[in-house]
Amino acid sequence: MIDTGLRAGIEWSRYAVKLVLAGEVISEQWRDLMARRAGLDPVRDVAALYGTADGGVLGNETPLSVRIRRLLGEHPAGVELFGTRRLPTLLQYDPADRYFESVDGTLAFTADSGVPLIRYHIADDGGVVSHADMLAFCAAHGLDLGTDTGPELPFVYVFGRTLHAVSVFGANVFPETVTIGLEQPEVSEWVTGKFVLEVWENADHDRMLRVTVELVPDAANTPERARSVAASIRDELLRRNSEYAHYVPPERQLPHVELRPTGDPDYFPFGVKHRYTR
């Protein structure tokens, strides 16, 4: 909608746009992209919710959690805290309303809802960090959070479910890493951000990563653009996914990219919830 408005000449900065998000892990590059296009503050004007149909809203981003996430995304301390170079969604929650625990690296919560839920296992990978421990961790690594360190609520971080990844040569490829490749300046102006990951075999039965990408309306589908997208995705995978960098042979690291028009019925049909993997 934002991109369509820009093409129609709308100056979004005149409308004090705020974004409330749910259902997907976003990157900080995407948040910055929306800030530029909609004229908003990426820290205070974009907030993700974490929830389930059976548990309701479980937590939400705050300006504090967003600032911490943005700092950790570019700092080695992020790997120490989260145990991986993947950047999870980082939220705060009220333990009197929804009480989180981490059980063997996955999340469970307890809530006094219509049907009481006790250590309800939602199969999302993640963990919990107290407010005091998070501030101490950031201070120990020299991360400047400023003077606004409230609300004094614990943090929960969420990776989502590993079943949303595809595996190539034993390397798990997660949609959020591919997303960052599509948000780079050299390609972001003519792709919508929607894509589908598949493991594909070529005519010689060599397995490789296949990425089908949606073009913005009226964008030209050219071999040069397909190569640019493939290179951008590969570069982010090599930078952010050590499994991909070490397990996938160098001659297979460049994904096969196919560009398709907006609303392509086979991959990007209108009116249904998009799935990023097949």
Side-chain angles (χ1 to χ4, degrees):
M1 187 176 73
I2 288 173
D3 289 347
T4 300
L6 290 174
R7 287 192 293 272
I10 293 175
E11 296 181 29
W12 288 114
S13 59
R14 298 173 55 192
Y15 297 97
V17 174
K18 307 288 190 292
L19 301 181
V20 179
L21 315 172
E24 297 178 10
V25 177
I26 66 165
S27 71
E28 293 308 315
Q29 288 82 358
W30 184 90
R31 202 188 306 259
D32 288 337
L33 189 64
M34 290 299 101
R36 291 194 299 272
R37 293 183 179 179
L40 51 81
D41 180 341
V43 173
R44 295 189 173 276
D45 293 343
V46 183
L49 304 179
Y50 176 40
T52 65
D54 36 10
V57 176
L58 307 177
N60 59 273
E61 285 187 326
T62 64
L64 175 61
S65 75
V66 173
R67 287 202 305 274
I68 293 172
R69 186 178 193 255
R70 290 168 73 81
L71 290 169
L72 291 176
E74 301 300 329
H75 195 282
V79 178
E80 180 180 340
L81 181 63
F82 302 129
T84 176
R85 295 188 69 179
R86 293 175 61 203
L87 188 62
T89 302
L90 182 64
L91 316 103
Q92 291 185 272
Y93 68 98
D94 182 353
D97 185 53
R98 300 288 190 272
Y99 184 79
F100 273 102
E101 300 173 80
S102 180
V103 181
D104 297 328
T106 61
L107 294 171
F109 71 91
T110 298
D112 185 13
S113 52
V115 176
L117 301 172
I118 301 174
R119 304 193 82 192
Y120 188 70
H121 186 245
I122 46 180
D124 282 333
D125 294 341
V128 294
V129 183
S130 73
H131 183 270
D133 286 348
M134 181 65 82
L135 264 58
F137 179 87
C138 291
H141 289 84
L143 303 178
D144 183 12
L145 303 181
T147 58
D148 182 9
T149 56
E152 295 185 8
L153 295 172
F155 296 83
V156 58
Y157 57 89
V158 186
F159 289 105
R161 300 176 185 178
T162 54
L163 59 83
H164 293 155
V166 298
S167 181
V168 184
F169 288 93
N172 286 324
V173 177
F174 295 92
E176 60 262 30
T177 310
V178 175
T179 294
I180 298 173
L182 298 180
E183 289 158 359
Q184 300 308 306
E186 58 269 22
V187 300
S188 63
E189 294 302 317
W190 35 269
V191 299
T192 67
K194 280 186 178 181
F195 59 90
V196 175
L197 296 179
E198 300 170 274
V199 178
W200 184 64
E201 288 189 356
N202 63 16
D204 295 325
H205 300 285
D206 294 321
R207 293 170 66 83
M208 62 191 305
L209 181 65
R210 174 188 172 103
V211 190
T212 304
V213 178
E214 185 181 49
L215 291 165
V216 301
D218 302 322
N221 184 347
T222 67
E224 292 76 15
R225 284 185 168 178
R227 285 193 292 268
S228 294
V229 170
S232 186
I233 293 172
R234 177 201 57 199
D235 292 349
E236 292 303 322
L237 285 170
L238 294 178
R239 189 160 77 93
R240 300 174 183 273
N241 187 329
S242 60
E243 287 185 354
Y244 196 86
H246 290 95
Y247 297 170
V248 180
E251 65 274 14
R252 299 280 180 266
Q253 290 175 349
L254 187 71
H256 175 82
V257 166
E258 181 176 345
L259 304 179
R260 295 209 176 192
T262 306
D264 179 87
D266 293 330
Y267 279 86
F268 309 110
F270 293 120
V272 297
K273 186 173 183 178
H274 182 63
R275 294 182 61 86
Y276 286 90
T277 59
R278 288 189 180 181

